[in-house]
Amino acid sequence: MIPLVDLKANWLPLEKEIKEGWDRVMDKTAFILGPEVKEFETEYAAYLGVKHCITVANGTDALELCVRAAGLGADDEVLVPANSFIATALAVIRAGCKVKFVDCDADHLIDVDSCVKQLSKKTMAIFPVHLFGQVAPMEKIGAFAKTHGLIVMEDAAQAQGAKQNGKVAGAIGVSAGTSFYPGKNLGAYGDGGAVTTNDEATAKKIRALRNYGSEVKYFHPEVGFNSRLDTLQAVVLRAKLKRLTEYNAQRRAAAERYHGLLKDFGDLKLPRAVPGNEHIWHIYAVQVAASRRDAVMKSMQDQGVGVGVHYPVPIHLQGAFAGHGHKAGAFPMAEKAAAEMISLPIFPEITAAQQEQVAAALKKALS
Ligand SMILES: *Cc1c(COP(=O)(O)O)cnc(C)c1O
């Protein structure tokens, strides 16, 4: 069986280094906000070339804290792509704002042209998602945001190390939230997340909010959260951050291999890196006719290939957002993607032989 993601293959070469790090944490009993947390924050900020990194408990919290730190609240509307993981929209709702969904383009990234239709006087921000490992069209988004006076925040959960024309995901908007969920390109061995920003005031605010709204112990000038990265997880992330450039390069090589194996095969649609983007291939999703998708997936699973769909139901059609009253057809590109996509196994350690097996299974399923 070839898994969609092989966390075991990733763990084995890191085992010794990480266990030694964990032992050091245990010796010091520095479980909460121990020195490794600060060290990781400094290292990750340097990696992205951003001034501040504030780690938190998970990616959803990171996104919510971005919205709160931007001073957004009741009745403010935030533009969110309909095809993302649901957390982007949840974060906006949890911060007390309203979500305005927008459609995506053929590369599954936010369709900036369609955003105009969703604007109202209350629209205050836009929250693009760097989906599957490539940066959303940030220059276009920046120009659009400037014209309409919107704050730009980034969902960089799938884009640790991705770039666009030299700019780095997580360092472009006023703030960015990222996730260290185990399966992400930079993943912990449990939950974790971070906000990155170049803005001093935002950083200060988030540092307080993540720690009960307090800068000085037992003094709480505002209502905060308990949302912190575990020191044990910081040890894992430090070990993996050292290798992130290499991991992303391995993913890029794997994506190129898939292109070579699968190109010009009937009407199978392959993903691409948009010109100007340095894609880090968090997900490699192909598209097949919607009428055949589920049968193709079943055939691949029967042939021992782990496949997935990111994501089978676009957010505007989820029960959680039924109150918004969107019907099927509201965001056709997002819905088409949800019906046609199949994610193939991709992870740094995937071998050429495994990829050949995946490609053969897909071709057989489609024939
Ligand atoms: C994983 C992910 C999140 C949420 O991260 P958690 O750490 O699971 O809370 C948010 N947005 C996107 C695009 C994601 O892929």
Side-chain angles (χ1 to χ4, degrees):
M1 182 80 198
I2 302 171
L4 187 59
V5 177
D6 191 345
L7 295 180
K8 191 74 183 267
N10 190 255
W11 156 245
L12 293 173
L14 301 175
E15 181 172 354
K16 190 166 170 285
E17 181 176 337
I18 289 176
K19 283 186 173 167
E20 282 169 8
W22 282 342
D23 279 344
R24 282 196 300 276
V25 176
M26 303 314 264
D27 282 343
K28 282 184 287 202
T29 66
F31 304 121
I32 303 292
L33 298 180
E36 285 83 358
V37 172
K38 184 81 228 156
E39 278 155 25
F40 172 70
E41 289 178 343
T42 304
E43 289 161 3
Y44 193 55
Y47 185 83
L48 298 186
V50 71
K51 283 198 191 121
H52 310 277
C53 166
I54 306 100
T55 53
V56 296
N58 57 67
T60 310
D61 281 2
L63 299 170
E64 178 180 350
L65 286 166
C66 288
V67 181
R68 288 186 183 273
L72 302 174
D75 284 344
D76 292 335
E77 292 172 0
V78 181
L79 300 169
V80 173
N83 72 321
S84 174
F85 182 55
I86 194 165
T88 327
L90 291 181
V92 170
I93 295 289
R94 283 189 359 185
C97 299
K98 296 210 165 94
V99 170
K100 291 289 269 190
F101 289 111
V102 288
D103 212 352
C104 63
D105 62 19
D107 296 299
H108 315 301
L109 299 168
I110 192 167
D111 177 9
V112 189
D113 295 328
S114 79
C115 288
V116 174
K117 282 184 287 188
Q118 309 301 335
L119 286 176
S120 83
K121 280 204 198 69
K122 294 181 169 163
T123 315
M124 303 305 282
I126 181 167
F127 218 143
V129 179
H130 306 314
L131 202 68
F132 299 163
Q134 71 177 330
V135 180
M138 293 308 285
E139 281 161 28
K140 208 165 167 185
I141 290 166
F144 175 81
K146 199 165 175 207
T147 306
H148 301 284
L150 307 179
I151 294 166
V152 181
M153 296 169 287
E154 303 166 71
D155 181 338
Q158 302 190 359
Q160 291 112 352
K163 291 181 190 159
Q164 180 172 76
N165 298 323
K167 290 199 171 155
V168 181
I172 308 172
V174 68
S175 62
T178 198
S179 164
F180 304 126
Y181 178 82
K184 307 292 193 205
N185 285 42
L186 180 60
Y189 294 153
D191 280 309
V195 174
T196 53
T197 179
N198 279 312
D199 184 60
E200 187 75 44
T202 300
K204 193 167 181 287
K205 177 123 192 162
I206 287 173
R207 241 174 237 296
L209 282 178
R210 75 159 174 192
N211 200 28
Y212 319 109
S214 142
E215 288 176 71
V216 179
K217 201 167 185 177
Y218 302 132
F219 290 83
H220 307 274
E222 62 184 328
V223 177
F225 293 59
N226 174 359
S227 183
R228 301 171 300 214
L229 181 74
D230 242 72
T231 312
L232 291 170
Q233 299 303 341
V235 169
V236 177
L237 292 168
R238 291 188 73 202
K240 290 201 186 187
L241 180 59
K242 283 193 237 162
R243 297 159 172 95
L244 183 58
T245 301
E246 186 193 340
Y247 290 158
N248 285 342
Q250 287 169 313
R251 286 174 180 271
R252 207 167 293 126
E256 268 161 36
R257 195 175 295 119
Y258 273 142
H259 289 332
L261 290 166
L262 296 170
K263 66 171 188 280
D264 306 324
F265 191 77
D267 44 18
L268 178 69
K269 185 175 173 259
L270 302 182
R272 64 160 191 165
V274 175
N277 268 353
E278 200 172 297
H279 202 318
I280 57 159
W281 299 100
H282 174 60
I283 302 254
Y284 188 96
V286 300
Q287 273 168 276
V288 302
S291 58
R292 305 187 61 192
R293 198 264 307 273
D294 292 352
V296 169
M297 283 182 67
K298 169 140 198 332
S299 163
M300 292 186 75
Q301 274 150 357
D302 290 345
Q303 296 177 72
V305 175
V307 285
V309 178
H310 299 89
Y311 297 91
V313 180
I315 312 177
H316 67 287
L317 299 179
Q318 295 282 0
F321 287 90
H324 282 56
H326 289 301
K327 300 263 182 315
F331 300 107
M333 289 298 284
E335 291 165 36
K336 184 173 151 66
E340 295 182 349
M341 283 201 287
I342 302 176
S343 303
L344 306 185
I346 194 158
F347 45 89
E349 301 77 11
I350 196 167
T351 64
Q354 285 177 314
Q355 289 192 269
E356 280 155 23
Q357 199 183 320
V358 172
L362 176 57
K363 287 181 177 178
K364 186 167 171 216
L366 282 168
S367 303

